[in-house]
Amino acid sequence: MATLSQPKLGQTIISLRQEKKITQEELVERCNVSVRTLQRIEAGEVTPRESTLRIILDALEFDYQQMEKTFHIKGRLEKLKIAWICGIIYFVTAFVEAGLDFYRFEVDLPAYFSLLYTTVKIVILGVYIFFMLGFAEVGKNFKHGLMKITAYFMLGAMIIIEIHDIISLFSAITEEEFFLIKGIESVAFGGINLAFGVALFKLGKELGDLSKIAGMLEMLAGLFFLTFVLAIFGVFVLIPATLLETILLYKVYDSFSNQIQNGQ
């Protein structure tokens, strides 16, 4: 069985004990552990052995397996919450990033442009990583290997692209060379987009039409990227796709949240 981590374990025991209106002393008498041991467990200082934890939970009339399942769901809940919030940030900042990519070759750029450009790229990369990790988590939950793998591939491709953009800012690359490289990147990214779209579409069995629509948009964007010359249309298709994917992550997060509230 998975290890239940501190300090949340201790906080959960305190919450259960208070719900039952049991003092530490009363709980100690019921489960035959020392007051100091219980205090340290509740304070998150030590993680009890499984046998000790079972005794404490039995005394609180709470099922060990139910607690383990709840912890497991809460762990995924936190990752999904971060993922959909990062999805919103990514959706907004992607427009800023696109503007900066076109503006970077203007003459007489302000002195702060390099710092602004680099900062936006780092923010984009950071939120996108957590955004895709959310889909990897969805893949794990629904035992969907293609979703998990393609999410990591999407993540890896974005890391390469954003790092290249930052490095190229400080090189002698021309505007034509930059957008040629962008086109080449789009072709490589298109194949991954296509696979990611297939994964989203297949998840429609579990997540409904929203996942299917997002999947179709991703596949369409991937096809545009693969043509090279129509890559710009792929960018526009990704706008509604990203929005739907963010909503999808929120729906999965909300579903897990309801499971915890309903004690499932």
Side-chain angles (χ1 to χ4, degrees):
M1 293 185 178
T3 302
L4 303 179
S5 60
Q6 291 285 21
K8 291 183 179 180
L9 175 58
Q11 294 167 357
T12 302
I13 291 174
I14 291 173
S15 178
L16 291 172
R17 182 169 57 76
Q18 290 176 343
E19 285 179 10
K20 296 288 184 178
K21 297 181 180 180
I22 300 173
T23 65
Q24 283 185 333
E25 290 74 15
E26 290 172 332
L27 182 56
V28 163
E29 291 179 5
R30 293 187 183 189
C31 59
N32 196 31
V33 298
S34 68
V35 175
R36 178 56 182 160
T37 298
L38 181 60
Q39 289 174 340
R40 294 184 68 192
I41 292 171
E42 290 190 346
E45 296 175 2
V46 296
T47 300
R49 289 177 296 181
E50 183 180 318
S51 57
T52 302
L53 180 57
R54 285 181 181 276
I55 292 171
I56 292 173
L57 293 178
D58 285 344
L60 292 169
E61 299 177 351
F62 193 86
D63 183 63
Y64 175 86
Q65 290 184 339
Q66 180 61 43
M67 171 176 272
E68 189 176 35
K69 182 180 178 182
T70 300
F71 266 71
H72 187 63
I73 294 174
K74 282 185 176 180
R76 285 193 168 157
L77 193 66
E78 290 177 358
K79 293 177 183 177
L80 288 169
K81 182 177 181 180
I82 294 171
W84 71 258
I85 291 174
C86 284
I88 294 173
I89 299 172
Y90 171 69
F91 181 79
V92 174
T93 52
F95 291 100
V96 178
E97 180 191 31
L100 292 175
D101 278 337
F102 280 98
Y103 186 63
R104 62 177 277 174
F105 292 102
E106 294 293 321
V107 295
D108 299 324
L109 289 172
Y112 60 80
F113 182 81
S114 295
L115 177 61
L116 175 62
Y117 186 86
T118 302
T119 301
V120 170
K121 289 289 182 178
I122 291 174
V123 170
I124 283 281
L125 180 56
V127 295
Y128 191 82
I129 286 173
F130 286 107
F131 184 46
M132 281 298 116
L133 285 176
F135 281 103
E137 198 63 35
V138 170
K140 291 177 186 177
N141 181 72
F142 292 101
K143 295 180 175 58
H144 200 292
L146 182 60
M147 170 54 68
K148 185 168 64 172
I149 292 170
T150 53
Y152 284 126
F153 269 105
M154 293 277 281
L155 187 158
M158 183 62 80
I159 290 174
I160 294 171
I161 290 171
E162 297 301 327
I163 291 177
H164 170 266
D165 287 353
I166 294 172
I167 293 174
S168 68
L169 181 66
F170 302 96
S171 67
I173 190 171
T174 66
E175 183 175 0
E176 291 75 17
E177 290 171 337
F178 177 78
F179 285 107
L180 176 61
I181 292 172
K182 279 293 179 185
I184 295 171
E185 287 175 351
S186 76
V187 173
F189 201 60
I192 303 173
N193 269 107
L194 195 57
F196 184 65
V198 171
L200 278 171
F201 187 83
K202 287 187 174 181
L203 268 173
K205 294 179 182 178
E206 293 84 8
L207 302 180
D209 291 340
L210 187 64
S211 185
K212 290 182 178 180
I213 296 171
M216 288 189 287
L217 288 173
E218 281 284 352
M219 286 187 279
L220 181 60
L223 290 173
F224 279 134
F225 286 139
L226 285 170
T227 66
F228 187 88
V229 292
L230 299 177
I232 186 63
F233 294 105
V235 173
F236 287 112
V237 172
L238 280 183
I239 294 173
T242 301
L243 184 59
L244 290 178
E245 287 158 12
T246 302
I247 296 171
L248 185 65
L249 284 176
Y250 175 78
K251 286 187 66 177
V252 178
Y253 162 81
D254 188 55
S255 175
F256 284 169
S257 181
N258 288 334
Q259 285 183 39
I260 292 176
Q261 291 176 3
N262 295 331
Q264 296 178 359

